[in-house]
Amino acid sequence: MNLDRLVGQLFLIGIRGKEIDQETLNTLRFVKPGFVILFARNVERPAQVLDLVNQIRSIVGEDVIFAVDQEGGIVTRFRDGFAVSPGAMAIAATNDPENAYRAAKVLAREMKAVGVTWNLAPVVDINDNPNNPGIGVRSFSDKAEVVSKFTTRFYEGLKEEGVAACAKHFPGKGSVSLDAHLEMPTLEKSLEELENWEFVPFKTLIKKGIDSIMPSHVYLPKVQTRREPATVSYEVLSEILRKKLGYDGVLVADDLLMGGIVKNMMVEEAVVRSFMAGMDVLTVCHEPDAQMAAKKVLVKKIEQDSFLQRRLEESLRRIKQFKERFAVKQPPEVIRFDLEHEQTMRQIAERSITLVRDSDGMLPLKLDKDDYVFTVRLSRSVQVQETDIGVPWVAKEISKRFACKLFILEEGLEIPKAEKCVVFTENAHLSNWQKEFLIQVRKNFKRVLLVALRNPYDCSLIESSSLCTYGYEMVSQEALLKVMLGELKPVGKLPVEVFR
């Protein structure tokens, strides 16, 4: 195999659409990637995904491995025709790690059915900062031991079905206040503090044999001698992750086109520096021109540098071992999904709905025509999210069932006065105008039910009856409706501390 093809093995790239156009064909032929990542933009239905996978295999080789961010919840790429899982925090709210195992097995079976064998999950970040904009409900908990238990069972569920797992985002970004998709977050912790907290679930998974780890674009000023993202840091990747923690599996970069990288360096520089620091798989999710430029520069650098040539041998050894385990030898000809998959996800969702308190006696819900339902429009709060936006189905359903008024929350909305209301929020704790709205609602209504559709921290904003869903997949909205109507008992437990 010549150098051009060998270097291609290092790349994980995304493509633009649901089929191969000429630009995509040219990019695949030039980069010759060892790995391809699929996003919602590539997905229509299961049969279409399998067809796309087979087309790419015929272009770049049968050992190409397909990856996807199939975390569950707000980060779910495979939807129509697939069973959609509640997210990590919702699963943890069931208080049973076996539900992480059950969900992961379903996700893995359905991925394998379309020729995809690398799930870039679980999220191992400990979400101990309520104001964290990029993690939140993608994390299982704000406690290291809970994250360790649930991520271990999630990994084991994937493993049993022959799908690779990926622990992300090393060194851990649950405590930061910036989203690495937009900026480079800073984590002000010493190595000792990291070892006693952020590293705990990573160390657990390393002992269990986790298949891959994803470093991210976090800067550690108390650890690194140079101001740069961990993704390109020799100190973080080679000295800490490889030597200190003893990890010899595949390291895969978080997308090198994120703001945490490109606001500090060009993608070509990031690819070279990340590889030099110890990264095995170099991720460039978008922009064909950037993908080809990065490959071209890296080939040239490796040709001229004996250290990079040794690094190439080292990474190719890990990639070869990874592919021997997870490359699809023969893609499925017929897609088969177990009819019980959706039932499994439904059961998990129904055990996740959490009643924080019912101080206003709002459950089971009984509204009159003069009462109100207020709701936010669901938004794409973080770039990694690809869920539908708009008015949540459950809010419309409640308004219809009780024939009461439905108002869409927006800044400056005049708030009426009445006996009762239901308010559906999304990350109100991060929004000043939503906070002010809730305070006024508390003054204008005698009885209030607040439903936190995403992060549960919204429940601390006012004293009222409150429920948490940790996400708004339809499976969670349907479970929520049953709880609100008294058809289902809310048995979920808060996996994070809401009242601080």
Side-chain angles (χ1 to χ4, degrees):
M1 198 180 290
N2 62 29
L3 183 63
D4 182 69
R5 185 164 288 279
L6 289 173
V7 174
Q9 289 290 302
L10 304 173
F11 280 87
L12 169 63
I13 70 168
I15 63 171
R16 281 193 170 166
K18 297 177 176 65
E19 54 190 27
I20 307 294
D21 58 18
Q22 190 60 47
E23 181 181 54
T24 299
L25 180 62
N26 293 341
T27 305
L28 290 170
R29 285 176 172 168
F30 184 88
V31 179
K32 304 177 186 65
F35 308 86
V36 172
I37 182 169
L38 300 179
F39 292 93
R41 66 177 184 253
N42 308 122
V43 177
E44 193 172 272
R45 301 284 295 177
Q48 170 267 327
V49 176
L50 181 57
D51 184 56
L52 181 63
V53 163
N54 285 331
Q55 287 183 59
I56 294 172
R57 280 167 58 91
S58 71
I59 296 165
V60 298
E62 293 184 353
D63 70 336
V64 62
I65 284 183
F66 292 86
V68 67
D69 293 294
Q70 196 71 350
E71 298 171 14
I74 62 170
V75 182
T76 299
R77 311 308 189 202
F78 294 166
R79 292 180 175 277
D80 291 345
F82 297 88
V84 177
S85 173
M89 197 173 287
I91 292 172
T94 69
N95 204 31
D96 184 357
E98 290 309 295
N99 284 323
Y101 170 79
R102 295 171 69 210
K105 281 179 73 73
V106 169
L107 294 175
R109 286 174 185 167
E110 297 196 348
M111 287 170 58
K112 281 192 80 174
V114 294
V116 179
T117 55
W118 193 6
N119 192 353
L120 301 177
V123 169
V124 182
D125 304 300
I126 305 163
N127 198 75
D128 57 352
N129 177 8
N131 295 323
N132 188 321
I135 300 300
V137 292
R138 297 171 64 199
S139 166
F140 284 97
S141 176
D142 58 4
K143 299 173 182 64
E145 65 275 16
V146 175
V147 171
S148 294
K149 287 177 184 176
F150 278 85
T151 54
T152 294
R153 290 306 279 151
F154 190 94
Y155 159 58
E156 289 169 345
L158 295 178
K159 181 181 178 181
E160 264 193 33
E161 299 298 327
V163 166
C166 180
K168 62 187 189 187
H169 309 81
F170 191 84
K173 55 181 185 179
S175 298
V176 303
S177 300
L178 293 175
D179 184 354
H181 291 83
L182 306 174
E183 305 282 349
M184 182 176 70
T186 297
L187 184 56
E188 293 275 1
K189 291 193 177 184
S190 67
L191 183 57
E192 182 180 5
E193 289 173 310
L194 291 167
E195 286 195 274
N196 292 332
W197 192 246
E198 274 81 3
F199 291 179
V200 170
F202 284 103
K203 288 190 283 190
T204 299
L205 288 166
I206 287 171
K207 287 179 183 176
K208 292 285 183 178
I210 189 78
D211 313 298
S212 61
I213 291 178
M214 179 182 287
S216 192
H217 316 315
V218 177
Y219 169 51
L220 307 170
K222 295 183 179 179
V223 173
Q224 298 170 242
T225 54
R226 181 173 176 175
R227 189 182 185 280
E228 61 187 6
T231 331
V232 301
S233 169
Y234 183 87
E235 293 160 306
V236 175
L237 302 191
S238 292
E239 293 182 358
I240 295 176
L241 193 43
R242 293 294 191 203
K243 295 175 185 175
K244 191 170 189 62
L245 300 186
Y247 186 62
D248 193 41
V250 167
L251 294 186
V252 53
D254 213 347
D255 184 15
L256 294 170
L257 288 175
M258 286 183 184
I261 286 285
V262 297
K263 289 188 177 179
N264 295 280
M265 66 193 78
M266 297 290 288
V267 67
E268 295 93 332
E269 180 187 355
V271 162
V272 173
R273 287 178 56 185
S274 183
F275 182 61
M276 188 177 291
M279 197 73 73
D280 299 307
V281 178
L282 306 162
T283 309
V284 187
C285 291
H286 319 283
E287 300 180 21
D289 289 346
Q291 293 165 343
M292 292 190 285
K295 161 76 180 296
K296 186 176 180 180
V297 167
L298 189 58
V299 169
K300 186 174 181 180
K301 290 286 186 181
I302 291 175
E303 281 177 335
Q304 301 169 348
D305 191 320
S306 59
F307 172 75
L308 290 182
Q309 289 163 17
R310 292 193 296 274
R311 275 288 304 113
L312 179 62
E313 291 176 6
E314 180 186 329
S315 287
L316 289 177
R317 171 182 61 81
R318 295 193 187 102
I319 288 169
K320 182 173 183 255
Q321 292 171 345
F322 188 84
K323 288 197 168 190
E324 284 171 352
R325 294 177 60 199
F326 300 110
V328 175
K329 306 298 187 291
Q330 184 64 43
E333 294 182 6
V334 180
I335 298 173
R336 291 189 178 90
F337 292 157
D338 192 321
L339 294 177
E340 293 183 1
H341 287 181
E342 290 188 2
Q343 179 61 23
T344 296
M345 299 308 191
R346 190 176 302 114
Q347 289 169 352
I348 294 170
E350 289 180 351
R351 296 196 66 79
S352 72
I353 307 301
T354 304
L355 176 63
V356 177
R357 60 195 168 195
D358 192 16
S359 52
D360 282 14
M362 289 289 285
L363 296 177
L365 190 64
K366 290 183 176 61
L367 299 177
D368 300 317
K369 63 180 179 62
D370 294 326
D371 294 325
Y372 290 81
V373 176
F374 300 100
T375 183
V376 289
R377 288 185 186 274
L378 302 175
S379 63
R380 188 169 177 249
S381 302
V382 291
Q383 286 194 344
V384 73
Q385 178 182 344
E386 294 182 319
T387 48
D388 293 334
I389 59 175
V391 179
W393 168 84
V394 67
K396 293 185 283 189
E397 191 65 21
I398 287 293
S399 172
K400 184 170 70 175
R401 288 197 180 215
F402 291 101
C404 56
K405 303 174 187 68
L406 175 66
F407 281 84
I408 311 303
L409 290 187
E410 55 187 23
E411 197 165 358
L413 177 69
E414 189 172 335
I415 304 169
K417 293 184 178 181
E419 178 70 21
K420 301 186 291 290
C421 75
V422 179
V423 186
F424 295 92
T425 66
E426 181 191 25
N427 291 358
H429 70 294
L430 299 177
S431 165
N432 287 333
W433 73 264
Q434 279 194 67
K435 288 179 188 176
E436 292 170 3
F437 176 86
L438 288 173
I439 291 169
Q440 192 59 49
V441 160
R442 182 67 278 182
K443 292 177 181 177
N444 287 14
F445 289 84
K446 294 180 180 177
R447 298 165 65 191
V448 177
L449 173 61
L450 188 158
V451 182
L453 289 174
R454 189 152 168 173
N455 280 293
Y457 310 107
D458 292 3
C459 297
S460 68
L461 297 176
I462 57 172
E463 178 69 34
S464 69
S465 297
S466 52
L467 288 166
C468 300
T469 66
Y470 315 98
Y472 28 75
E473 303 308 314
M474 275 305 297
V475 69
S476 294
Q477 292 194 51
E478 289 167 353
L480 171 65
L481 181 64
K482 289 180 182 178
V483 167
M484 295 176 78
L485 297 178
E487 298 170 6
L488 190 69
K489 185 178 178 181
V491 296
K493 307 290 183 186
L494 283 169
V496 293
E497 187 179 342
V498 167
F499 304 99
R500 293 172 181 258

